Structures are given as structure tokens and as C-alpha cells.
Amino acid sequence: GLYDLRANTPIRKVILKMRSNMVQWNPMQPKDFIVANEDSNIYTFDMRRLDAARMRHWDHVMAVLDVSYSPTGQHFVSASYDGTIRTWAVNQQRSQDVYHTKRMARVLCCQFTADSRFVLSGSEDTNIRLWKAKANQKLGTLDHREKRAIAYREELMHKFSRLPEIRRIKRHQHVPKMVKSMATKRRIMLQAQARKQDNRIKHAKPGSIQRVPVKKKHIVKELE
């Protein structure tokens, strides 16, 4: 629900199919906020239009318990019950980096540091862990030659990012066996549902079955 501090009742309210665990406002874009949901997805909403999510972020395979924006508002981090932590760009549906260890239990909370360089996480094993916000970032002092080399490599990746080989290498992530297995099963189920929907539309009366966009599929209704 969207509340005005001067009133006791919500101005607008959106109901999702499953429970939402966390809401976080973008510090640089006050109209945008993200929602961590039990359906393993993260939704970006625009407060001016709550009837559909502006973007759906999907890579987790279990409930997302916490989300946190970076101070720059360009990235956010998520903690999930599947035992992984993922970093995202606000304008991308898939995660950039994923963090996990064999001894880390379910991750309950996460937070960006004030300088946006590190991520803090808290898990069920009573430990707080510190991660680099960018996995390939080199710590310590960099000389001018190293900075130029890093900038050159990043420019090359950006220039050839649309090539299938580069995209495949960039998207490759090492995840726990359980997460990979659940992701594979989930992909098969979604493909089967899509085929079933196509067959229903193909054999039904034209216009009798409407396709529901993915960004609206998980929203029950909006109340004003």
C-alpha cells in the first residue's frame, strides 16, 4: 500500500498473488520502488502506475527475503531462501553476479555499504559476511596503467556484448547444484505452460482467450 504520512489509510494499494517480504525505495528515483516476493521474483513498480510492474527480475529459485538499493540507485542486491545473494542492475531482468558458499545457510538480509563497493549479508548460520559489489573488482590501490587496462577491457566487453559467444560467457554463473536443478525444472515447467497456453489460444474461438502480460500476471488487483 502507498500511504501519505498525514493520513491513516492507504492512498493506493496493489494486491499480489503471493506475500511480499520487503519494499525498498530507489534513493535517486523517488517514484520507483522494488518488492521482494515469495514467488522468487523481484518487481520494480512505478508509484504512478501500480496496475503493472515496470520490470520483473528473475533468477532466484526460492522466496526472496530482502532487497537493498545501492546509494547510487543504479544497482540493488537481493537475499533469498535458496542460499544465494545476487546483484542486479535496475534496468536488467537477469542478475549480474551471484554469491554463495557451502557453509552459508539461508540468507535472511542484505545491505549495500555507503560507498557502494561492498555488500553485507546475514544468514541463518548467525554469520555476517562481506562481499564485493563487483565480483571482478580488484581491491587496493591501482596505478594509472592498471586503471587504463581495466577501462580498456570493460570497453571491449561493452563493444562486443551482443555477440552470442560473449553473451554466453558473461551470463555464465557458478551456482549450487540444488539451485541449478531447481532452475532447470522451473524452466521446463514454464515452457510447458507456455505451450499449453498457445494450444488453448490456437483451438479456441478467436478473442475468447486473452494473453496476460508477464508484468501483470502476478497482480491480483489494484485498489484506490
Side-chain angles (χ1 to χ4, degrees):
L2 183 63
Y3 284 82
D4 188 337
L5 294 178
R6 298 166 294 183
N8 295 325
T9 57
I11 302 174
R12 302 175 69 186
K13 188 176 182 180
V14 59
I15 301 176
L16 303 181
K17 289 185 178 180
M18 300 189 70
R19 187 180 69 178
S20 298
N21 295 317
M22 187 64 181
V23 176
Q24 182 83 22
W25 289 90
N26 191 322
M28 304 303 292
Q29 299 290 337
K31 68 181 186 303
D32 297 339
F33 63 92
I34 50 177
V35 179
N37 200 265
E38 285 280 340
D39 62 2
S40 74
N41 293 319
I42 304 168
Y43 300 98
T44 298
F45 282 94
D46 189 328
M47 64 178 292
R48 300 170 297 183
R49 184 185 176 187
L50 297 179
D51 60 337
R54 194 163 63 85
M55 186 168 292
R56 180 179 70 103
H57 311 274
W58 54 279
D59 258 342
H60 286 295
V61 296
M62 298 179 73
V64 184
L65 302 179
D66 195 15
V67 287
S68 175
Y69 270 110
S70 66
T72 61
Q74 299 299 316
H75 300 84
F76 65 90
V77 61
S78 62
S80 175
Y81 199 72
D82 59 15
T84 62
I85 304 159
R86 294 181 182 267
T87 57
W88 316 70
V90 294
N91 58 350
Q92 295 181 2
Q93 294 183 338
R94 307 296 298 274
S95 61
Q96 291 182 328
D97 293 313
V98 56
Y99 301 99
H100 59 89
T101 64
K102 290 183 177 180
R103 296 185 178 183
M104 185 168 65
R106 315 295 187 181
V107 188
L108 304 178
C109 58
C110 58
Q111 183 71 40
F112 260 102
T113 57
D115 58 0
S116 299
R117 295 179 58 199
F118 300 98
V119 171
L120 293 167
S121 68
S123 53
E124 283 184 346
D125 56 5
T126 69
N127 288 320
I128 298 175
R129 290 178 171 87
L130 183 68
W131 313 84
K132 291 189 292 185
K134 192 175 181 180
N136 60 354
Q137 177 185 5
K138 181 179 179 181
L139 300 180
T141 305
L142 301 177
D143 58 24
H144 182 66
R145 185 176 180 180
E146 288 178 317
K147 291 180 180 179
R148 289 186 58 186
I150 293 174
Y152 178 72
R153 287 196 297 266
E154 291 181 351
E155 184 62 29
L156 281 179
M157 288 190 294
H158 176 72
K159 181 178 180 180
F160 298 104
S161 60
R162 296 187 179 275
L163 295 178
E165 296 83 0
I166 303 299
R167 190 185 303 117
R168 178 180 58 82
I169 295 173
K170 188 176 180 180
R171 277 295 313 153
H172 181 70
Q173 296 175 341
H174 292 282
V175 295
K177 186 181 295 184
M178 180 270 295
V179 174
K180 182 175 178 60
S181 176
M182 292 185 66
T184 302
K185 292 178 181 178
R186 182 182 179 185
R187 183 172 62 253
I188 294 173
M189 292 172 61
L190 291 176
Q191 292 173 353
Q193 292 175 4
R195 288 196 302 269
K196 182 178 180 181
Q197 180 74 0
D198 292 339
N199 292 333
R200 290 183 61 194
I201 294 176
K202 186 185 300 183
H203 296 90
K205 183 179 179 181
S208 61
I209 301 177
Q210 299 293 333
R211 291 185 182 274
V212 180
V214 177
K215 297 178 181 179
K216 292 186 176 181
K217 188 177 296 183
H218 302 281
I219 297 176
V220 178
K221 61 180 177 179
E222 179 188 6
L223 302 177
E224 296 187 2

